């Protein structure tokens, strides 16, 4: 049975790859997209989702919801066009969307409609998700599962030495989600940094022809990563592997641990994610723990990603 997924995204290239993956997958039914600020301003994120839905012939079939424009820290967000392009689509510039976007509270209707069948996957900033917990905590706890891309546990961050971008951009929102969410899974940089898609994989996806958008997007993305690290073999698809986690739990190794986030307004530690692994501490039964993915099987990721993106089987036959 296909899993119903509501995606919260701050449209960038890896968010877009996740959206394309969901369209091609036979395991995921995308029921809505919440377009947030993050990699690009919200207005451009909305425009990019509309462009993509049009390219996939899904326009008017999936609600596109306007999410948050600024973080709960009351700061002006920083955007990353050098990584993702002006609209989060690499070299593609669709222009601003001038039509009507779905009201934020369309999220309520979707949760009420699908209830415990619904999985929320948050691959961008956590501001919109936190707002839902502030306003509708009881309703949010009817959701089947929540997966989020964020954090870095004992590995380098990608904004500061210790902080990952989604947690760093709005640590207050992260703390709200960690405090109130149940059945939450965190997919941090520990995993996503290693979900590498190589140029050879991209070329084969292009050859198979299921999506003509993948190559221009990933070539642009790889250009950034290659310039930053000449030794890198490809581009990490942080958001695609997070979406995949919603239907591929068996790829990962998880631990259930208490998680803390540093909410200070500045400094190297802002947004740092800390998991308490002290073996001699007896946590209270009421202590909130969350499931964290610390590793994954790359071969399994490779096979399942390529299966969906090419329509061809890459699974190894069991001997």
């Amino acid at each position: 049975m296909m899993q119903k997924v509501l995606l919260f995204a701050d449209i960038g290239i890896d968010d877009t790859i996740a959206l394309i993956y969901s369209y091609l997958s036979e395991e995921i039914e995308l029921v809505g997209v919440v377009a947030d600020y993050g990699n690009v301003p919200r207005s451009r994120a909305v425009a990019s989702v509309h462009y993509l839905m049009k390219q996939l012939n899904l326009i008017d079939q999936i609600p596109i919801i306007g999410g948050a424009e600024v973080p709960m820290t009351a700061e002006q967000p920083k955007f990353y066009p050098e990584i993702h392009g002006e609209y989060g689509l690499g070299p593609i510039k669709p222009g601003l969307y001038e039509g009507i976007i779905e009201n934020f509270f369309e999220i309520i209707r979707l949760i009420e409609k699908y209830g415990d069948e619904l999985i929320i996957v948050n691959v961008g900033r956590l501001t919109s998700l936190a707002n839902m917990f502030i306003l509708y905590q009881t309703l949010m706890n009817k959701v089947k599962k929540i997966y989020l891309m964020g954090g870095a546990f004992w590995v380098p961050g990608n904004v500061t030495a210790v902080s990952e971008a989604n947690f760093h951009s709005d640590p207050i929102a992260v703390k709200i989600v960690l405090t109130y969410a149940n059945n939450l899974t965190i997919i941090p940089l520990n995993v996503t940094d290693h979900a590498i898609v190589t140029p050879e994989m991209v070329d084969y996806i292009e050859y198979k022809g299921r999506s003509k958008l993948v190559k221009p997007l990933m070539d642009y993305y790889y250009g950034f990563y290659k310039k930053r690290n000449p030794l890198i073999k490809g581009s990490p698809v942080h958001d695609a592997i997070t979406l995949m986690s919603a239907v591929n739990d068996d790829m990962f190794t998880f631990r259930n641990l208490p998680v803390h986030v540093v909410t200070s307004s500045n400094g190297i530690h802002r947004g740092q994610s800390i998991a308490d692994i002290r073996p001699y501490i007896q946590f209270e039964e009421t202590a909130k723990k969350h499931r964290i993915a610390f590793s994954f099987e790359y071969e399994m990721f490779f096979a399942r990603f390529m299966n969906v993106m090419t329509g061809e089987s890459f699974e190894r036959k069991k001997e």
Side-chain angles (χ1 to χ4, degrees), residues 62-132:
I62 297 173
I64 300 167
I65 301 161
E69 293 188 83
V70 294
M72 290 181 170
T73 59
E75 301 163 315
Q76 286 302 309
K78 181 181 179 181
F79 305 118
Y80 298 90
E82 70 277 11
I83 304 175
H84 297 279
E86 291 182 28
Y87 282 81
L89 297 174
I92 302 168
K93 301 176 184 179
L96 291 178
Y97 174 72
E98 297 181 353
I100 298 172
I101 63 173
E102 294 285 354
N103 187 286
F104 182 76
F105 296 105
E106 174 69 8
I107 297 169
I108 299 169
R109 187 190 69 80
L110 291 172
I111 296 173
E112 289 176 339
K113 179 178 180 180
Y114 296 113
D116 60 5
E117 294 182 81
L118 184 65
I119 296 173
I120 288 177
V121 178
N122 195 120
V123 294
R125 312 312 187 233
L126 277 72
T127 314
S128 289
L129 190 61
N131 270 297
M132 288 301 300

Side-chain angles (χ1 to χ4, degrees), residues 11-18 83-85 88-90 217-218 220-221:
I11 299 303
I13 291 173
D14 49 335
D15 305 70
T16 307
I17 298 301
I83 304 175
H84 297 279
L89 297 174
L217 292 173
M218 292 299 290
Y220 186 98
Y221 203 39

